[in-house]
Amino acid sequence: HSGPGWAAPEHHPWLASSCAEASKTFFGKEVRYIGEGGSIPFMGLLGRKFPTAQFVVTGVLGPQSNAHGPNEFLHIDFAKRVTCCVAQILAHHHGHA
């Protein structure tokens, strides 16, 4: 299934900087962004309800996770790094708010 598309608003400078720093810290790489169709319909609802909110939507599948396949698995190291990134972004948000 898919829902109607949703386009995230531009990141505020503090959030863009925080995402970039977290990616470098925990992955040693530049932050990357990818857009997909309406595969998460809930985001459209949140975007309409909170039009000025900043969103970070992420997943934890990691390398060769075979998403939605019969042998799908969670790459633990990748999931830990994503969790650390989100925690750091939330800490920066607390300092920014």
Side-chain angles (χ1 to χ4, degrees):
H1 298 96
S2 76
W6 173 75
E10 284 287 322
H11 283 158
H12 289 179
W14 76 265
L15 181 55
S17 175
S18 185
C19 288
E21 182 182 324
S23 182
K24 277 287 201 186
T25 299
F26 297 105
F27 287 96
K29 297 180 179 183
E30 298 292 325
V31 68
R32 297 180 196 175
Y33 299 98
I34 185 170
E36 293 197 24
S39 61
I40 309 175
F42 184 62
M43 291 311 303
L45 175 85
L46 286 175
R48 286 188 301 279
K49 181 82 173 163
F50 305 102
T52 61
Q54 294 286 284
F55 294 95
V56 175
V57 183
T58 188
V60 295
L61 287 175
Q64 286 111 21
S65 294
N66 200 25
H68 309 300
N71 59 346
E72 175 180 8
F73 68 94
L74 179 64
H75 190 275
I76 300 298
D77 182 58
F78 190 87
K80 286 179 180 180
R81 291 174 192 222
V82 170
T83 302
C84 288
C85 287
V86 171
Q88 182 170 305
I89 292 165
L90 288 172
H92 286 171
H93 178 263
H94 176 72
H96 173 78

PDB file of all heavy atoms in Angstrom, residues 30-49:
ATOM      1  N   GLU A  30      29.193  11.835   5.279  1.00  0.00           N
ATOM      2  CA  GLU A  30      28.269  12.956   5.097  1.00  0.00           C
ATOM      3  C   GLU A  30      26.835  12.458   5.242  1.00  0.00           C
ATOM      4  O   GLU A  30      26.522  11.330   4.875  1.00  0.00           O
ATOM      5  CB  GLU A  30      28.446  13.575   3.705  1.00  0.00           C
ATOM      6  CG  GLU A  30      29.818  14.168   3.460  1.00  0.00           C
ATOM      7  CD  GLU A  30      30.089  15.399   4.298  1.00  0.00           C
ATOM      8  OE1 GLU A  30      29.158  16.179   4.544  1.00  0.00           O
ATOM      9  OE2 GLU A  30      31.246  15.557   4.720  1.00  0.00           O
ATOM     10  N   VAL A  31      25.975  13.323   5.764  1.00  0.00           N
ATOM     11  CA  VAL A  31      24.559  12.981   5.876  1.00  0.00           C
ATOM     12  C   VAL A  31      23.968  12.813   4.478  1.00  0.00           C
ATOM     13  O   VAL A  31      24.404  13.462   3.528  1.00  0.00           O
ATOM     14  CB  VAL A  31      23.790  14.055   6.682  1.00  0.00           C
ATOM     15  CG1 VAL A  31      23.719  15.376   5.940  1.00  0.00           C
ATOM     16  CG2 VAL A  31      22.400  13.571   7.051  1.00  0.00           C
ATOM     17  N   ARG A  32      23.013  11.919   4.334  1.00  0.00           N
ATOM     18  CA  ARG A  32      22.334  11.693   3.053  1.00  0.00           C
ATOM     19  C   ARG A  32      20.835  11.777   3.258  1.00  0.00           C
ATOM     20  O   ARG A  32      20.317  11.391   4.293  1.00  0.00           O
ATOM     21  CB  ARG A  32      22.670  10.312   2.505  1.00  0.00           C
ATOM     22  CG  ARG A  32      24.130  10.148   2.207  1.00  0.00           C
ATOM     23  CD  ARG A  32      24.399   8.782   1.664  1.00  0.00           C
ATOM     24  NE  ARG A  32      25.827   8.515   1.730  1.00  0.00           N
ATOM     25  CZ  ARG A  32      26.353   7.363   1.424  1.00  0.00           C
ATOM     26  NH1 ARG A  32      25.599   6.369   1.026  1.00  0.00           N
ATOM     27  NH2 ARG A  32      27.650   7.190   1.504  1.00  0.00           N
ATOM     28  N   TYR A  33      20.176  12.266   2.258  1.00  0.00           N
ATOM     29  CA  TYR A  33      18.715  12.375   2.291  1.00  0.00           C
ATOM     30  C   TYR A  33      18.158  11.638   1.095  1.00  0.00           C
ATOM     31  O   TYR A  33      18.736  11.664   0.014  1.00  0.00           O
ATOM     32  CB  TYR A  33      18.274  13.842   2.238  1.00  0.00           C
ATOM     33  CG  TYR A  33      18.777  14.658   3.406  1.00  0.00           C
ATOM     34  CD1 TYR A  33      19.913  15.448   3.289  1.00  0.00           C
ATOM     35  CD2 TYR A  33      18.122  14.620   4.631  1.00  0.00           C
ATOM     36  CE1 TYR A  33      20.385  16.193   4.357  1.00  0.00           C
ATOM     37  CE2 TYR A  33      18.584  15.358   5.707  1.00  0.00           C
ATOM     38  CZ  TYR A  33      19.717  16.143   5.559  1.00  0.00           C
ATOM     39  OH  TYR A  33      20.176  16.872   6.613  1.00  0.00           O
ATOM     40  N   ILE A  34      17.042  10.973   1.292  1.00  0.00           N
ATOM     41  CA  ILE A  34      16.380  10.280   0.196  1.00  0.00           C
ATOM     42  C   ILE A  34      14.879  10.513   0.335  1.00  0.00           C
ATOM     43  O   ILE A  34      14.340  10.532   1.439  1.00  0.00           O
ATOM     44  CB  ILE A  34      16.720   8.772   0.194  1.00  0.00           C
ATOM     45  CG1 ILE A  34      16.130   8.098  -1.032  1.00  0.00           C
ATOM     46  CG2 ILE A  34      16.252   8.093   1.458  1.00  0.00           C
ATOM     47  CD1 ILE A  34      16.602   6.674  -1.245  1.00  0.00           C
ATOM     48  N   GLY A  35      14.234  10.714  -0.767  1.00  0.00           N
ATOM     49  CA  GLY A  35      12.789  10.876  -0.767  1.00  0.00           C
ATOM     50  C   GLY A  35      12.137   9.646  -1.358  1.00  0.00           C
ATOM     51  O   GLY A  35      12.650   9.054  -2.297  1.00  0.00           O
ATOM     52  N   GLU A  36      11.046   9.263  -0.775  1.00  0.00           N
ATOM     53  CA  GLU A  36      10.265   8.144  -1.306  1.00  0.00           C
ATOM     54  C   GLU A  36       8.826   8.596  -1.409  1.00  0.00           C
ATOM     55  O   GLU A  36       8.442   9.586  -0.800  1.00  0.00           O
ATOM     56  CB  GLU A  36      10.388   6.935  -0.383  1.00  0.00           C
ATOM     57  CG  GLU A  36      11.805   6.374  -0.373  1.00  0.00           C
ATOM     58  CD  GLU A  36      11.869   4.978   0.193  1.00  0.00           C
ATOM     59  OE1 GLU A  36      10.845   4.276   0.165  1.00  0.00           O
ATOM     60  OE2 GLU A  36      12.935   4.615   0.669  1.00  0.00           O
ATOM     61  N   GLY A  37       8.035   7.838  -2.091  1.00  0.00           N
ATOM     62  CA  GLY A  37       6.624   8.175  -2.307  1.00  0.00           C
ATOM     63  C   GLY A  37       5.830   8.250  -1.022  1.00  0.00           C
ATOM     64  O   GLY A  37       6.314   8.687   0.008  1.00  0.00           O
ATOM     65  N   GLY A  38       4.637   7.797  -1.042  1.00  0.00           N
ATOM     66  CA  GLY A  38       3.749   7.880   0.111  1.00  0.00           C
ATOM     67  C   GLY A  38       3.776   6.624   0.942  1.00  0.00           C
ATOM     68  O   GLY A  38       2.737   6.160   1.394  1.00  0.00           O
ATOM     69  N   SER A  39       4.949   6.051   1.146  1.00  0.00           N
ATOM     70  CA  SER A  39       5.012   4.775   1.857  1.00  0.00           C
ATOM     71  C   SER A  39       4.771   4.910   3.349  1.00  0.00           C
ATOM     72  O   SER A  39       4.585   3.924   4.040  1.00  0.00           O
ATOM     73  CB  SER A  39       6.350   4.080   1.591  1.00  0.00           C
ATOM     74  OG  SER A  39       7.412   4.887   2.045  1.00  0.00           O
ATOM     75  N   ILE A  40       4.776   6.126   3.869  1.00  0.00           N
ATOM     76  CA  ILE A  40       4.462   6.338   5.285  1.00  0.00           C
ATOM     77  C   ILE A  40       3.345   7.386   5.348  1.00  0.00           C
ATOM     78  O   ILE A  40       3.593   8.567   5.589  1.00  0.00           O
ATOM     79  CB  ILE A  40       5.705   6.801   6.081  1.00  0.00           C
ATOM     80  CG1 ILE A  40       6.884   5.871   5.835  1.00  0.00           C
ATOM     81  CG2 ILE A  40       5.383   6.871   7.573  1.00  0.00           C
ATOM     82  CD1 ILE A  40       8.173   6.310   6.484  1.00  0.00           C
ATOM     83  N   PRO A  41       2.090   6.979   5.118  1.00  0.00           N
ATOM     84  CA  PRO A  41       0.982   7.941   5.050  1.00  0.00           C
ATOM     85  C   PRO A  41       0.832   8.789   6.306  1.00  0.00           C
ATOM     86  O   PRO A  41       0.356   9.916   6.249  1.00  0.00           O
ATOM     87  CB  PRO A  41      -0.260   7.064   4.844  1.00  0.00           C
ATOM     88  CG  PRO A  41       0.261   5.788   4.291  1.00  0.00           C
ATOM     89  CD  PRO A  41       1.644   5.616   4.858  1.00  0.00           C
ATOM     90  N   PHE A  42       1.275   8.268   7.444  1.00  0.00           N
ATOM     91  CA  PHE A  42       1.179   8.986   8.713  1.00  0.00           C
ATOM     92  C   PHE A  42       1.922  10.321   8.656  1.00  0.00           C
ATOM     93  O   PHE A  42       1.548  11.276   9.328  1.00  0.00           O
ATOM     94  CB  PHE A  42       1.731   8.092   9.829  1.00  0.00           C
ATOM     95  CG  PHE A  42       1.607   8.658  11.203  1.00  0.00           C
ATOM     96  CD1 PHE A  42       0.366   8.931  11.738  1.00  0.00           C
ATOM     97  CD2 PHE A  42       2.727   8.914  11.971  1.00  0.00           C
ATOM     98  CE1 PHE A  42       0.240   9.450  13.019  1.00  0.00           C
ATOM     99  CE2 PHE A  42       2.622   9.426  13.246  1.00  0.00           C
ATOM    100  CZ  PHE A  42       1.365   9.694  13.771  1.00  0.00           C
ATOM    101  N   MET A  43       2.969  10.398   7.857  1.00  0.00           N
ATOM    102  CA  MET A  43       3.737  11.638   7.781  1.00  0.00           C
ATOM    103  C   MET A  43       2.919  12.778   7.177  1.00  0.00           C
ATOM    104  O   MET A  43       3.047  13.922   7.598  1.00  0.00           O
ATOM    105  CB  MET A  43       5.033  11.431   7.001  1.00  0.00           C
ATOM    106  CG  MET A  43       6.042  10.556   7.715  1.00  0.00           C
ATOM    107  SD  MET A  43       6.341  11.014   9.452  1.00  0.00           S
ATOM    108  CE  MET A  43       6.856  12.712   9.288  1.00  0.00           C
ATOM    109  N   GLY A  44       2.079  12.474   6.204  1.00  0.00           N
ATOM    110  CA  GLY A  44       1.201  13.503   5.646  1.00  0.00           C
ATOM    111  C   GLY A  44       0.260  14.058   6.697  1.00  0.00           C
ATOM    112  O   GLY A  44       0.045  15.275   6.778  1.00  0.00           O
ATOM    113  N   LEU A  45      -0.291  13.170   7.515  1.00  0.00           N
ATOM    114  CA  LEU A  45      -1.180  13.586   8.599  1.00  0.00           C
ATOM    115  C   LEU A  45      -0.431  14.484   9.582  1.00  0.00           C
ATOM    116  O   LEU A  45      -0.915  15.546   9.971  1.00  0.00           O
ATOM    117  CB  LEU A  45      -1.732  12.351   9.322  1.00  0.00           C
ATOM    118  CG  LEU A  45      -2.573  12.640  10.556  1.00  0.00           C
ATOM    119  CD1 LEU A  45      -4.012  12.913  10.152  1.00  0.00           C
ATOM    120  CD2 LEU A  45      -2.502  11.478  11.518  1.00  0.00           C
ATOM    121  N   LEU A  46       0.768  14.067   9.987  1.00  0.00           N
ATOM    122  CA  LEU A  46       1.562  14.882  10.912  1.00  0.00           C
ATOM    123  C   LEU A  46       1.933  16.221  10.293  1.00  0.00           C
ATOM    124  O   LEU A  46       1.894  17.258  10.967  1.00  0.00           O
ATOM    125  CB  LEU A  46       2.834  14.139  11.325  1.00  0.00           C
ATOM    126  CG  LEU A  46       2.661  12.997  12.310  1.00  0.00           C
ATOM    127  CD1 LEU A  46       3.987  12.283  12.529  1.00  0.00           C
ATOM    128  CD2 LEU A  46       2.114  13.496  13.632  1.00  0.00           C
ATOM    129  N   GLY A  47       2.294  16.209   9.014  1.00  0.00           N
ATOM    130  CA  GLY A  47       2.645  17.449   8.332  1.00  0.00           C
ATOM    131  C   GLY A  47       1.499  18.439   8.277  1.00  0.00           C
ATOM    132  O   GLY A  47       1.702  19.651   8.420  1.00  0.00           O
ATOM    133  N   ARG A  48       0.291  17.939   8.071  1.00  0.00           N
ATOM    134  CA  ARG A  48      -0.883  18.822   8.056  1.00  0.00           C
ATOM    135  C   ARG A  48      -1.207  19.329   9.459  1.00  0.00           C
ATOM    136  O   ARG A  48      -1.569  20.486   9.642  1.00  0.00           O
ATOM    137  CB  ARG A  48      -2.088  18.102   7.466  1.00  0.00           C
ATOM    138  CG  ARG A  48      -2.014  17.921   5.960  1.00  0.00           C
ATOM    139  CD  ARG A  48      -3.307  17.384   5.360  1.00  0.00           C
ATOM    140  NE  ARG A  48      -3.694  16.099   5.902  1.00  0.00           N
ATOM    141  CZ  ARG A  48      -3.203  14.921   5.517  1.00  0.00           C
ATOM    142  NH1 ARG A  48      -2.276  14.866   4.573  1.00  0.00           N
ATOM    143  NH2 ARG A  48      -3.625  13.791   6.067  1.00  0.00           N
ATOM    144  N   LYS A  49      -1.079  18.473  10.446  1.00  0.00           N
ATOM    145  CA  LYS A  49      -1.402  18.830  11.836  1.00  0.00           C
ATOM    146  C   LYS A  49      -0.380  19.805  12.419  1.00  0.00           C
ATOM    147  O   LYS A  49      -0.718  20.675  13.211  1.00  0.00           O
ATOM    148  CB  LYS A  49      -1.468  17.559  12.678  1.00  0.00           C
ATOM    149  CG  LYS A  49      -1.806  17.758  14.118  1.00  0.00           C
ATOM    150  CD  LYS A  49      -3.279  17.904  14.329  1.00  0.00           C
ATOM    151  CE  LYS A  49      -3.561  17.925  15.826  1.00  0.00           C
ATOM    152  NZ  LYS A  49      -4.861  18.434  16.122  1.00  0.00           N
TER     153      LYS A  49
END
